[in-house]
């Protein structure tokens, strides 16, 4: 039997800004896993890396991040 990642809880500031009214703000990664954002006052820095997207898919993702005015970069 294969092991399939279902979700990961990610500490966040103001998770309600993601449009949820529940305890967690789930963001679907693909057909199976979600990143479930949960409010936290303090947390360590985490790094999540995803790959295997085409150049076109990456460009579309980057445009959505920029349009949402989400800060991003390669520095911790």
């Amino acid at each position: 039997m294969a092991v399939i990642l279902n979700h990961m809880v990610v500490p966040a500031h103001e998770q309600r800004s993601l449009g949820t009214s529940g305890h967690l703000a789930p963001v679907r990664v693909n057909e199976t896993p979600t990143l479930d954002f949960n409010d936290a006052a303090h947390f360590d820095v985490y790094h999540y890396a995803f790959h295997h997207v085409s150049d076109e898919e990456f460009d579309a993702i980057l445009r959505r991040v920029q349009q949402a005015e989400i800060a991003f970069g390669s520095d911790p």
Side-chain angles (χ1 to χ4, degrees):
M1 180 169 94
V3 175
I4 298 171
L5 176 64
N6 178 266
H7 70 276
M8 296 174 64
V9 176
V10 180
H13 294 295
E14 300 178 21
Q15 59 94 353
R16 297 216 190 280
S17 67
L18 295 172
T20 184
S21 60
H23 178 65
L24 298 172
V27 175
R28 183 146 312 278
V29 175
N30 57 33
E31 62 276 352
T32 304
T34 59
L35 297 178
D36 294 349
F37 291 86
N38 186 29
D39 277 335
H42 303 284
F43 48 87
D44 294 324
V45 174
Y46 294 91
H47 176 91
Y48 300 96
F50 300 91
H51 64 290
H52 296 289
V53 297
S54 68
D55 288 344
E56 293 79 18
E57 290 170 313
F58 179 85
D59 291 342
I61 293 165
L62 180 58
R63 277 193 300 276
R64 289 195 310 268
V65 168
Q66 291 170 327
Q67 288 170 350
E69 298 181 355
I70 297 171
F72 65 93
S74 60
D75 292 331

